[in-house]
Every structure is written in C-alpha cells, then in structure tokens.
Amino acid sequence: RIHETPPFYMYNILLQHKNETSNALNDIEKDLHRTLPEHILFKKDEKEKNYNSNSQENLIASLRNVLQAYAWRNQEVGYCQSMNILAAVLLLFMSEEEAFWLLSVICEVILPDYYTEPLVGLILDQHIFEILLQQEIPDLYA
C-alpha cells in the first residue's frame, strides 16, 4: 500500500479533505503547541504569544499538515498522542512529504500495535522491559 502511491500524495489527501473536520483534527490542534515546547524551532515567545520567526510558524504548519494527512490516510488510527513528537523530530531532518511517509512506515509497519486504541504493542513491550529489569538489575527494579 505504501509503495503504490503517486507523488504529492500527502497534499492530495489534505486537498481532498480540506473542508472536513474530525476528532483527530481537533486533537492535533490541541497538541501542536505542546510539541517540543523547549526546542528553539517550536518555542513560542510568551510575551507576544507568537513564534519568533517565520520558519517556526512554517514548522508548526508543516507539523499540522503531516499529522492531518496521516489522520485522513489512516482513519482507523487517526491521531494518537506522541505522533506529534515523532513527526516533529522527522520534520527537523526532512521534508513534509518524507516525514509523512516515514511516519506512515513507523506507525503501520515498524510499530503497528503502538498506535492502535488498545496500545497492545506498547503494553507488551513495557511488560517485557519490566521482566528484563527485574532479572538483570533487581536493585533498580526494587
């Protein structure tokens, strides 16, 4: 599914759903300004209640685009907290379209059960970590 897509797929999704709304989009808006709040490229100037430069506003807009496009692409998952941080870090190193596709691969291929409602993958990994911690570093576990 990921390999059979046309160029500018992300932007086409955004255009296709331009006038629509969803719970995922509302959640994304709530989390945009909580994303990496101490990072210089995401930090708001609290006195003026705005960003310090055009590039910061553009980075927030890019983050919004990536997260909204992913929420529309994978409506079963939509948006989960922590996707914003993952997407923000990706945007520090690549374009919107590249960040969108890497986010898709991470959420759907590499960590598919981390971003589903029951969070099965995350819960399982936490349990395995707890067992390993108990076996390997019992003093820390206690």
Side-chain angles (χ1 to χ4, degrees):
R1 182 174 151 190
I2 289 175
H3 300 290
E4 301 172 3
T5 56
F8 307 111
Y9 178 81
M10 184 189 89
Y11 298 108
N12 289 330
I13 289 176
L14 290 173
L15 285 174
Q16 181 182 351
H17 296 282
K18 188 169 106 177
N19 296 318
E20 297 177 42
T21 189
S22 73
N23 289 337
L25 299 187
N26 294 333
D27 291 341
I28 289 167
E29 287 302 316
K30 289 178 200 170
D31 281 351
L32 282 175
H33 303 293
R34 300 179 199 167
T35 304
L36 304 179
E38 296 304 316
H39 191 285
I40 188 82
L41 294 177
F42 288 93
K43 194 172 193 170
K44 258 188 168 180
D45 180 350
E46 287 304 315
K47 290 178 187 171
E48 297 182 27
K49 299 287 184 200
N50 61 9
Y51 293 93
N52 298 323
S53 72
N54 243 0
S55 65
Q56 289 165 313
E57 289 179 35
N58 292 339
L59 197 55
I60 291 293
S62 292
L63 181 59
R64 177 183 290 112
N65 289 343
V66 169
L67 294 172
Q68 286 183 354
Y70 184 78
W72 286 121
R73 177 179 186 276
N74 188 343
Q75 293 181 35
E76 186 177 320
V77 171
Y79 171 75
C80 295
Q81 283 187 332
S82 84
M83 281 183 179
N84 60 322
I85 295 168
L86 181 56
V89 170
L90 297 175
L91 285 167
L92 293 174
F93 299 98
M94 58 191 68
S95 70
E96 283 184 24
E97 189 81 19
E98 291 168 326
F100 167 79
W101 284 115
L102 190 49
L103 179 67
S104 299
V105 169
I106 290 169
C107 293
E108 297 169 20
V109 178
I110 298 172
L111 301 171
D113 293 329
Y114 270 58
Y115 295 101
T116 57
E117 188 53 42
L119 303 173
V120 174
L122 181 61
I123 292 168
L124 180 62
D125 282 352
Q126 285 175 334
H127 184 66
I128 291 169
F129 180 73
E130 184 178 355
I131 291 169
L132 288 171
L133 189 63
Q134 184 178 18
Q135 289 174 355
E136 300 299 322
I137 315 172
D139 290 344
L140 183 60
Y141 178 77

